[in-house]
Amino acid sequence: MKILVTGGLGFIGSHTVVELQNKGFEVIVVDNLSNSSLNVLDGIERITGKKPIFENIDLREKSAVQNFFKKYFDIAGVIHFAASKAVGESVENPLLYYENNINSLVYLLQEIKELKNANFIFSSSCTVYGQAEKMPITENAPVQQAMSPYGNTKQIGEEIITDVAKVTNLNSILLRYFNPIGAHPSAEIGELPLGVPQNLVPFITQTAIGLRDKLSVFGNDYPTADGTAIRDYIHVVDLAKAHVIALQRLLNHKNLEKVETFNLGTGTGSSVLEVITAFEKVSEQQLKYQIVERREGDVIEAFANTDKANTVLGWKAQSSLEEALASAWKWELKIRS
Ligand code: NAD
C-alpha cells in the first residue's frame, strides 16, 4: 500500500516513515529540503533496511503537486507534515507562513479529494488551545484565538479540512501534538534545528555539548509549583507510532466521523526545571542556565488529556521523559562527533 508522507525528511516525518516501513507500507516522501537534508534518507535506510521513494517537490507549486498525483494515482493515504514551524519567524514574515502552510494544504486537498482513497492525516498542534482553562486539556476544550500566524495556520488548516470533508470523499484525522522531543534510539535520525533552537530540548542538548553558552529559562514567576512553565513532552517515536495507528483507522474505515481529532501527548506535565533536572541525571552533565524574563506568547501550562487517543485509537505513549531526553542527548553526541 502506497502512503505519501509530505515533509517526510523532517523531524517527526522521518520517524513516522520508519514506523510505516516497519509495518510494511510503501512510503513515498515529498520534501523540498527547506528544513531537512538528503542524509535523512540514509538514516532511514540504516534503521529499516529500505530507502523510501523520494520526490523533491515544493508543495507551493500547484502544477508540481498535480503532476505528482498523475504519477502516483494509487496512493492509499497521505500524512501531511510539510510546513514551516518557527513561531517567531511567522510573526516576522506572516505571508511566508500563510503561503507555505495554507497553499500547500489546499493544493494537496484539491488532488486528494479526487482519489479513490482520500485518507488524510494532518499535523496540528496543542497551540490551538492557547492557555486552556482546565488541565489536562481534552479535545473538547475551545480553540482560542491564535497567538501567532504559525498557530493560525494550524487552526485554519483544521477548518479547511473540515469544510472539504463535508462535501467530498475526504476522511481525515487531525492530530494535535503536545511537545515532541527525542530521537530514534539508534541515533540514526533526530531533530536538526536550523540556527538557534526555539524549543527547550534542542537548546538544552546544544548547551550541554557547548554550542550555546547557557540556557535561558523564560520566567520563574508563573503560578506553577516551581514557577516555571509546564508542558507535555512526548517522545517522537511514540508520536510517530500514533500516526501509523491513525492511518490504519482510516484505511480500515474504522473512523466514526469524517474528521476526527486526537490529542497526542503523555498526559503528564513537566516544568522547565524538572526537564533540566531529568536531563542532568540522564546525561550526567551539569547544565548552565539562567532565569530571564517571561517570553511573549508562552502559556503557563499545557498538558494533554489522552483518554480519547488511549481508548478510541488504542494508543498510549510508552516512553518516559528520561528515555526521551536520553535519546535526544545520544543524537546530539552523534551529530557533533
Ligand atoms: P520539520 O521542519 O522538521 O519538518 C517539516 C518538513 O517539511 C521539512 O523536512 C521541510 O523541508 C519540509 N517542507 C516544508 N515546507 C515544504 C514545502 N513547501 N514543500 C515540501 N516540503 C516542505 O518539522 P517537524 O517538527 O517535523 O514538524 C512536522 C509538522 O508537525 C509540521 O506541520 C509542524 O507544524 C507540526 N508540529 C510540530 C511540532 C513540533 O514541536 N515539532 C509541534 C506541533 C505541530
mmCIF file of all heavy atoms in Angstrom, residues 7 9-13 31-36 57-60 81-83 85 100 104 123-125 150 154 177 180 199, ligand 1:
data_model
loop_
_atom_site.group_PDB
_atom_site.id
_atom_site.type_symbol
_atom_site.label_atom_id
_atom_site.label_comp_id
_atom_site.label_asym_id
_atom_site.label_seq_id
_atom_site.Cartn_x
_atom_site.Cartn_y
_atom_site.Cartn_z
ATOM 1 N N GLY A 7 6.876 16.222 3.858
ATOM 2 C CA GLY A 7 7.767 16.623 4.952
ATOM 3 C C GLY A 7 8.394 15.409 5.620
ATOM 4 O O GLY A 7 8.783 15.458 6.789
ATOM 5 N N LEU A 9 11.212 14.038 5.407
ATOM 6 C CA LEU A 9 12.617 14.065 5.827
ATOM 7 C C LEU A 9 12.802 14.938 7.067
ATOM 8 O O LEU A 9 13.915 15.087 7.573
ATOM 9 C CB LEU A 9 13.524 14.543 4.689
ATOM 10 C CG LEU A 9 13.525 13.653 3.441
ATOM 11 C CD1 LEU A 9 14.625 14.075 2.477
ATOM 12 C CD2 LEU A 9 13.696 12.179 3.803
ATOM 13 N N GLY A 10 11.727 15.549 7.545
ATOM 14 C CA GLY A 10 11.805 16.397 8.739
ATOM 15 C C GLY A 10 11.819 15.562 10.015
ATOM 16 O O GLY A 10 11.879 14.320 9.972
ATOM 17 N N PHE A 11 11.765 16.251 11.125
ATOM 18 C CA PHE A 11 11.903 15.618 12.450
ATOM 19 C C PHE A 11 10.831 14.539 12.674
ATOM 20 O O PHE A 11 11.138 13.348 12.797
ATOM 21 C CB PHE A 11 11.838 16.725 13.508
ATOM 22 C CG PHE A 11 11.801 16.271 14.935
ATOM 23 C CD1 PHE A 11 12.624 15.247 15.390
ATOM 24 C CD2 PHE A 11 10.959 16.901 15.856
ATOM 25 C CE1 PHE A 11 12.597 14.844 16.720
ATOM 26 C CE2 PHE A 11 10.931 16.512 17.180
ATOM 27 C CZ PHE A 11 11.739 15.476 17.615
ATOM 28 N N ILE A 12 9.580 14.918 12.697
ATOM 29 C CA ILE A 12 8.522 13.944 13.017
ATOM 30 C C ILE A 12 8.267 13.041 11.811
ATOM 31 O O ILE A 12 8.034 11.839 11.939
ATOM 32 C CB ILE A 12 7.236 14.668 13.473
ATOM 33 C CG1 ILE A 12 7.550 15.661 14.596
ATOM 34 C CG2 ILE A 12 6.193 13.665 13.942
ATOM 35 C CD1 ILE A 12 6.425 16.629 14.929
ATOM 36 N N GLY A 13 8.346 13.644 10.609
ATOM 37 C CA GLY A 13 8.086 12.874 9.386
ATOM 38 C C GLY A 13 9.042 11.696 9.236
ATOM 39 O O GLY A 13 8.620 10.585 8.913
ATOM 40 N N ASP A 31 9.429 16.180 -0.145
ATOM 41 C CA ASP A 31 10.039 17.201 0.720
ATOM 42 C C ASP A 31 10.822 18.150 -0.180
ATOM 43 O O ASP A 31 11.394 17.729 -1.183
ATOM 44 C CB ASP A 31 10.981 16.521 1.738
ATOM 45 C CG ASP A 31 11.212 17.356 2.985
ATOM 46 O OD1 ASP A 31 11.726 18.501 2.847
ATOM 47 O OD2 ASP A 31 10.886 16.891 4.082
ATOM 48 N N ASN A 32 10.857 19.417 0.175
ATOM 49 C CA ASN A 32 11.651 20.374 -0.615
ATOM 50 C C ASN A 32 12.982 20.705 0.045
ATOM 51 O O ASN A 32 13.668 21.629 -0.386
ATOM 52 C CB ASN A 32 10.859 21.665 -0.892
ATOM 53 C CG ASN A 32 10.619 22.481 0.367
ATOM 54 O OD1 ASN A 32 10.918 22.033 1.469
ATOM 55 N ND2 ASN A 32 10.089 23.684 0.202
ATOM 56 N N LEU A 33 13.307 19.980 1.118
ATOM 57 C CA LEU A 33 14.603 20.118 1.815
ATOM 58 C C LEU A 33 14.802 21.509 2.416
ATOM 59 O O LEU A 33 15.924 21.894 2.717
ATOM 60 C CB LEU A 33 15.768 19.767 0.870
ATOM 61 C CG LEU A 33 15.698 18.383 0.218
ATOM 62 C CD1 LEU A 33 16.837 18.211 -0.797
ATOM 63 C CD2 LEU A 33 15.768 17.283 1.262
ATOM 64 N N SER A 34 13.703 22.264 2.604
ATOM 65 C CA SER A 34 13.848 23.607 3.168
ATOM 66 C C SER A 34 14.272 23.544 4.630
ATOM 67 O O SER A 34 14.879 24.478 5.147
ATOM 68 C CB SER A 34 12.548 24.409 3.027
ATOM 69 O OG SER A 34 11.490 23.716 3.654
ATOM 70 N N ASN A 35 13.945 22.434 5.313
ATOM 71 C CA ASN A 35 14.358 22.310 6.717
ATOM 72 C C ASN A 35 14.842 20.886 7.002
ATOM 73 O O ASN A 35 14.593 20.341 8.077
ATOM 74 C CB ASN A 35 13.197 22.685 7.644
ATOM 75 C CG ASN A 35 13.669 22.997 9.054
ATOM 76 O OD1 ASN A 35 14.801 23.456 9.250
ATOM 77 N ND2 ASN A 35 12.836 22.746 10.041
ATOM 78 N N SER A 36 15.499 20.286 6.018
ATOM 79 C CA SER A 36 15.958 18.897 6.197
ATOM 80 C C SER A 36 17.039 18.613 5.171
ATOM 81 O O SER A 36 17.348 19.470 4.348
ATOM 82 C CB SER A 36 14.783 17.929 6.009
ATOM 83 O OG SER A 36 14.130 18.194 4.781
ATOM 84 N N ILE A 57 9.901 17.931 -4.170
ATOM 85 C CA ILE A 57 8.828 18.784 -4.698
ATOM 86 C C ILE A 57 8.519 19.864 -3.675
ATOM 87 O O ILE A 57 8.462 19.590 -2.467
ATOM 88 C CB ILE A 57 7.560 17.933 -4.966
ATOM 89 C CG1 ILE A 57 7.796 17.007 -6.171
ATOM 90 C CG2 ILE A 57 6.328 18.807 -5.192
ATOM 91 C CD1 ILE A 57 6.690 16.017 -6.404
ATOM 92 N N ASP A 58 8.330 21.075 -4.164
ATOM 93 C CA ASP A 58 7.854 22.152 -3.295
ATOM 94 C C ASP A 58 6.330 22.207 -3.430
ATOM 95 O O ASP A 58 5.810 22.476 -4.515
ATOM 96 C CB ASP A 58 8.490 23.487 -3.724
ATOM 97 C CG ASP A 58 8.206 24.577 -2.709
ATOM 98 O OD1 ASP A 58 7.121 24.543 -2.084
ATOM 99 O OD2 ASP A 58 9.072 25.455 -2.537
ATOM 100 N N LEU A 59 5.650 21.943 -2.324
ATOM 101 C CA LEU A 59 4.182 21.834 -2.375
ATOM 102 C C LEU A 59 3.501 23.172 -2.648
ATOM 103 O O LEU A 59 2.294 23.221 -2.860
ATOM 104 C CB LEU A 59 3.660 21.233 -1.063
ATOM 105 C CG LEU A 59 4.083 19.776 -0.818
ATOM 106 C CD1 LEU A 59 3.803 19.388 0.624
ATOM 107 C CD2 LEU A 59 3.354 18.838 -1.767
ATOM 108 N N ARG A 60 4.272 24.244 -2.650
ATOM 109 C CA ARG A 60 3.686 25.544 -3.022
ATOM 110 C C ARG A 60 3.515 25.658 -4.534
ATOM 111 O O ARG A 60 2.911 26.612 -5.006
ATOM 112 C CB ARG A 60 4.578 26.693 -2.534
ATOM 113 C CG ARG A 60 4.538 26.867 -1.041
ATOM 114 C CD ARG A 60 5.565 27.847 -0.583
ATOM 115 N NE ARG A 60 6.912 27.350 -0.815
ATOM 116 C CZ ARG A 60 8.016 27.902 -0.343
ATOM 117 N NH1 ARG A 60 7.929 28.982 0.402
ATOM 118 N NH2 ARG A 60 9.194 27.393 -0.577
ATOM 119 N N PHE A 81 2.998 16.408 6.879
ATOM 120 C CA PHE A 81 3.828 17.102 7.868
ATOM 121 C C PHE A 81 4.375 18.419 7.326
ATOM 122 O O PHE A 81 4.715 19.307 8.104
ATOM 123 C CB PHE A 81 5.038 16.241 8.256
ATOM 124 C CG PHE A 81 4.724 14.987 9.013
ATOM 125 C CD1 PHE A 81 4.761 13.748 8.391
ATOM 126 C CD2 PHE A 81 4.398 15.040 10.359
ATOM 127 C CE1 PHE A 81 4.486 12.590 9.092
ATOM 128 C CE2 PHE A 81 4.115 13.889 11.068
ATOM 129 C CZ PHE A 81 4.162 12.648 10.433
ATOM 130 N N ALA A 82 4.550 18.498 5.998
ATOM 131 C CA ALA A 82 5.298 19.638 5.436
ATOM 132 C C ALA A 82 4.666 20.961 5.851
ATOM 133 O O ALA A 82 3.478 21.197 5.623
ATOM 134 C CB ALA A 82 5.332 19.532 3.919
ATOM 135 N N ALA A 83 5.460 21.793 6.466
ATOM 136 C CA ALA A 83 5.005 23.121 6.888
ATOM 137 C C ALA A 83 6.211 23.870 7.423
ATOM 138 O O ALA A 83 7.238 23.273 7.738
ATOM 139 C CB ALA A 83 3.947 22.996 7.997
ATOM 140 N N LYS A 85 7.498 26.018 10.645
ATOM 141 C CA LYS A 85 7.015 25.831 12.031
ATOM 142 C C LYS A 85 7.611 26.760 13.076
ATOM 143 O O LYS A 85 7.401 26.559 14.269
ATOM 144 C CB LYS A 85 7.240 24.377 12.451
ATOM 145 C CG LYS A 85 8.719 23.999 12.496
ATOM 146 C CD LYS A 85 8.951 22.704 13.238
ATOM 147 C CE LYS A 85 10.429 22.408 13.345
ATOM 148 N NZ LYS A 85 10.762 21.233 14.085
ATOM 149 N N ASN A 100 3.079 29.006 2.665
ATOM 150 C CA ASN A 100 3.565 27.623 2.734
ATOM 151 C C ASN A 100 2.541 26.690 3.379
ATOM 152 O O ASN A 100 2.222 25.634 2.836
ATOM 153 C CB ASN A 100 4.891 27.561 3.502
ATOM 154 C CG ASN A 100 5.643 26.276 3.198
ATOM 155 O OD1 ASN A 100 5.392 25.616 2.180
ATOM 156 N ND2 ASN A 100 6.553 25.909 4.063
ATOM 157 N N SER A 104 -0.007 25.036 0.338
ATOM 158 C CA SER A 104 0.382 23.622 0.161
ATOM 159 C C SER A 104 -0.780 22.698 0.524
ATOM 160 O O SER A 104 -1.057 21.728 -0.182
ATOM 161 C CB SER A 104 1.567 23.280 1.065
ATOM 162 O OG SER A 104 2.680 24.050 0.725
ATOM 163 N N SER A 123 -0.987 17.226 10.639
ATOM 164 C CA SER A 123 -0.196 17.622 11.810
ATOM 165 C C SER A 123 -0.755 18.907 12.387
ATOM 166 O O SER A 123 -0.494 19.984 11.854
ATOM 167 C CB SER A 123 1.243 17.962 11.394
ATOM 168 O OG SER A 123 1.910 16.871 10.909
ATOM 169 N N SER A 124 -1.478 18.795 13.481
ATOM 170 C CA SER A 124 -1.929 20.009 14.148
ATOM 171 C C SER A 124 -1.162 20.150 15.465
ATOM 172 O O SER A 124 -0.181 19.445 15.690
ATOM 173 C CB SER A 124 -3.442 19.988 14.348
ATOM 174 O OG SER A 124 -3.867 21.267 14.773
ATOM 175 N N SER A 125 -1.616 21.035 16.299
ATOM 176 C CA SER A 125 -0.796 21.372 17.457
ATOM 177 C C SER A 125 -1.668 21.754 18.647
ATOM 178 O O SER A 125 -2.781 22.281 18.483
ATOM 179 C CB SER A 125 0.079 22.565 17.068
ATOM 180 O OG SER A 125 0.645 23.138 18.198
ATOM 181 N N TYR A 150 1.806 31.341 12.706
ATOM 182 C CA TYR A 150 2.013 29.887 12.625
ATOM 183 C C TYR A 150 0.827 29.152 13.254
ATOM 184 O O TYR A 150 0.230 28.265 12.641
ATOM 185 C CB TYR A 150 3.314 29.471 13.331
ATOM 186 C CG TYR A 150 3.373 27.978 13.587
ATOM 187 C CD1 TYR A 150 3.602 27.096 12.544
ATOM 188 C CD2 TYR A 150 3.148 27.453 14.862
ATOM 189 C CE1 TYR A 150 3.611 25.716 12.759
ATOM 190 C CE2 TYR A 150 3.156 26.083 15.088
ATOM 191 C CZ TYR A 150 3.391 25.216 14.043
ATOM 192 O OH TYR A 150 3.378 23.861 14.262
ATOM 193 N N LYS A 154 -2.425 26.487 11.671
ATOM 194 C CA LYS A 154 -2.913 25.178 12.135
ATOM 195 C C LYS A 154 -4.436 25.215 12.315
ATOM 196 O O LYS A 154 -5.145 24.288 11.953
ATOM 197 C CB LYS A 154 -2.213 24.786 13.446
ATOM 198 C CG LYS A 154 -0.740 24.499 13.272
ATOM 199 C CD LYS A 154 -0.503 23.293 12.375
ATOM 200 C CE LYS A 154 0.917 23.175 11.893
ATOM 201 N NZ LYS A 154 1.114 22.192 10.831
ATOM 202 N N TYR A 177 -0.481 17.672 18.388
ATOM 203 C CA TYR A 177 0.703 17.261 19.153
ATOM 204 C C TYR A 177 0.918 18.209 20.314
ATOM 205 O O TYR A 177 0.787 19.422 20.173
ATOM 206 C CB TYR A 177 1.991 17.319 18.328
ATOM 207 C CG TYR A 177 1.948 16.750 16.940
ATOM 208 C CD1 TYR A 177 2.825 17.231 15.971
ATOM 209 C CD2 TYR A 177 1.072 15.734 16.585
ATOM 210 C CE1 TYR A 177 2.825 16.725 14.685
ATOM 211 C CE2 TYR A 177 1.065 15.221 15.291
ATOM 212 C CZ TYR A 177 1.937 15.727 14.344
ATOM 213 O OH TYR A 177 1.941 15.239 13.072
ATOM 214 N N PRO A 180 6.780 17.433 21.007
ATOM 215 C CA PRO A 180 7.588 16.295 20.571
ATOM 216 C C PRO A 180 9.075 16.521 20.864
ATOM 217 O O PRO A 180 9.608 17.600 20.565
ATOM 218 C CB PRO A 180 7.380 16.239 19.053
ATOM 219 C CG PRO A 180 6.304 17.230 18.739
ATOM 220 C CD PRO A 180 6.254 18.196 19.861
ATOM 221 N N ASN A 199 12.979 25.557 20.664
ATOM 222 C CA ASN A 199 12.379 24.640 21.626
ATOM 223 C C ASN A 199 13.371 24.258 22.717
ATOM 224 O O ASN A 199 14.588 24.286 22.506
ATOM 225 C CB ASN A 199 11.873 23.381 20.928
ATOM 226 C CG ASN A 199 10.723 23.707 19.984
ATOM 227 O OD1 ASN A 199 10.007 24.692 20.175
ATOM 228 N ND2 ASN A 199 10.562 22.897 18.963
HETATM 229 P P1 NAD B 1 10.361 19.874 10.312
HETATM 230 O O1 NAD B 1 10.659 21.270 9.861
HETATM 231 O O2 NAD B 1 11.454 19.080 10.888
HETATM 232 O O3 NAD B 1 9.732 19.048 9.083
HETATM 233 C C1 NAD B 1 8.958 19.649 8.081
HETATM 234 C C2 NAD B 1 9.482 19.166 6.735
HETATM 235 O O4 NAD B 1 8.663 19.729 5.699
HETATM 236 C C3 NAD B 1 10.921 19.601 6.448
HETATM 237 O O5 NAD B 1 11.676 18.468 6.039
HETATM 238 C C4 NAD B 1 10.789 20.632 5.323
HETATM 239 O O6 NAD B 1 11.903 20.586 4.458
HETATM 240 C C5 NAD B 1 9.501 20.183 4.656
HETATM 241 N N1 NAD B 1 8.762 21.248 3.969
HETATM 242 C C6 NAD B 1 8.427 22.471 4.458
HETATM 243 N N2 NAD B 1 7.761 23.180 3.518
HETATM 244 C C7 NAD B 1 7.663 22.381 2.416
HETATM 245 C C8 NAD B 1 7.097 22.546 1.123
HETATM 246 N N3 NAD B 1 6.518 23.678 0.750
HETATM 247 N N4 NAD B 1 7.175 21.516 0.248
HETATM 248 C C9 NAD B 1 7.782 20.364 0.603
HETATM 249 N N5 NAD B 1 8.341 20.152 1.799
HETATM 250 C C10 NAD B 1 8.287 21.153 2.696
HETATM 251 O O7 NAD B 1 9.122 19.963 11.313
HETATM 252 P P2 NAD B 1 8.561 18.882 12.333
HETATM 253 O O8 NAD B 1 8.954 19.283 13.694
HETATM 254 O O9 NAD B 1 8.851 17.511 11.857
HETATM 255 O O10 NAD B 1 7.015 19.174 12.198
HETATM 256 C C11 NAD B 1 6.186 18.456 11.301
HETATM 257 C C12 NAD B 1 4.779 19.001 11.365
HETATM 258 O O11 NAD B 1 4.303 18.920 12.704
HETATM 259 C C13 NAD B 1 4.655 20.462 10.948
HETATM 260 O O12 NAD B 1 3.437 20.607 10.250
HETATM 261 C C14 NAD B 1 4.603 21.181 12.270
HETATM 262 O O13 NAD B 1 3.919 22.402 12.166
HETATM 263 C C15 NAD B 1 3.833 20.190 13.119
HETATM 264 N N6 NAD B 1 4.061 20.337 14.558
HETATM 265 C C16 NAD B 1 5.349 20.268 15.029
HETATM 266 C C17 NAD B 1 5.584 20.421 16.395
HETATM 267 C C18 NAD B 1 6.996 20.403 16.939
HETATM 268 O O14 NAD B 1 7.208 20.860 18.058
HETATM 269 N N7 NAD B 1 7.986 19.884 16.218
HETATM 270 C C19 NAD B 1 4.502 20.624 17.271
HETATM 271 C C20 NAD B 1 3.209 20.647 16.764
HETATM 272 C C21 NAD B 1 2.999 20.502 15.389
#
